Amino acid sequence: MDTLLFLIIFFLLLLIFGVANRIFRRKEAFLTNSIDQHDLEKKTLLEKIENLEKNGNQLELEVIKNRNLNLELNSEIELKEEEILALRKIIEKLQQQKESQNDDIIIEYNIKKTKEEC
């Protein structure tokens, strides 16, 4: 009787250990898959970050180029404005030198002005 009880307890313990071992293996496989999935997600996120940094650097370079172009264009505009102001002063002096205003000078200036604006 004792041996039968011992065998029953022994088989129950083997069954419990077998079931526990299977549960732990499945849990280990699940955790391993989870870790692999997290590593893959981490790699993809790092790649996205690198791509965004590259795009950000390219955009910064484009902004710098655009600012330089804007500065150049602003300086050209200022030069043109100074030239226009100088031409206006010359026209005023020419008109003052003549006793009557000459409409031809005004019309010629307006034509040149419209051509420059286009």
Side-chain angles (χ1 to χ4, degrees):
M1 187 85 172
D2 287 336
T3 56
L4 185 60
L5 184 62
F6 177 72
L7 284 176
I8 292 173
I9 292 173
F10 180 73
F11 284 121
L12 284 175
L13 286 176
L14 278 177
L15 183 64
I16 291 171
F17 282 124
V19 170
N21 190 13
R22 181 175 283 168
I23 290 171
F24 286 125
R25 283 185 185 173
R26 287 185 182 174
K27 187 175 182 180
E28 180 183 10
F30 174 76
L31 292 176
T32 303
N33 289 338
S34 295
I35 290 171
D36 291 341
Q37 184 179 1
H38 287 295
D39 287 342
L40 183 62
E41 289 175 3
K42 182 179 176 181
K43 286 179 184 178
T44 56
L45 289 175
L46 288 174
E47 289 175 0
K48 285 181 182 179
I49 289 172
E50 288 177 6
N51 288 336
L52 290 173
E53 285 178 351
K54 287 178 183 178
N55 290 340
N57 290 337
Q58 289 175 353
L59 290 174
E60 285 178 3
L61 289 174
E62 288 179 15
V63 166
I64 290 171
K65 288 178 184 177
N66 287 338
R67 285 183 183 167
N68 288 338
L69 288 174
N70 283 338
L71 289 174
E72 290 175 10
L73 290 174
N74 285 338
S75 64
E76 287 180 19
I77 289 171
E78 289 176 2
L79 287 175
K80 295 294 181 184
E81 288 176 351
E82 290 174 4
E83 289 176 6
I84 290 171
L85 184 63
L87 287 173
R88 285 183 184 166
K89 288 181 182 179
I90 290 172
I91 290 172
E92 288 175 4
K93 287 181 183 179
L94 286 173
Q95 287 176 350
Q96 288 174 358
Q97 287 177 358
K98 294 186 178 185
E99 294 177 4
S100 65
Q101 281 190 336
N102 191 351
D103 292 334
D104 293 338
I105 294 173
I106 295 171
I107 293 170
E108 182 181 346
Y109 173 72
N110 287 333
I111 291 171
K112 286 183 180 179
K113 184 177 177 183
T114 55
K115 285 182 182 177
E116 288 178 358
E117 289 176 355
C118 292

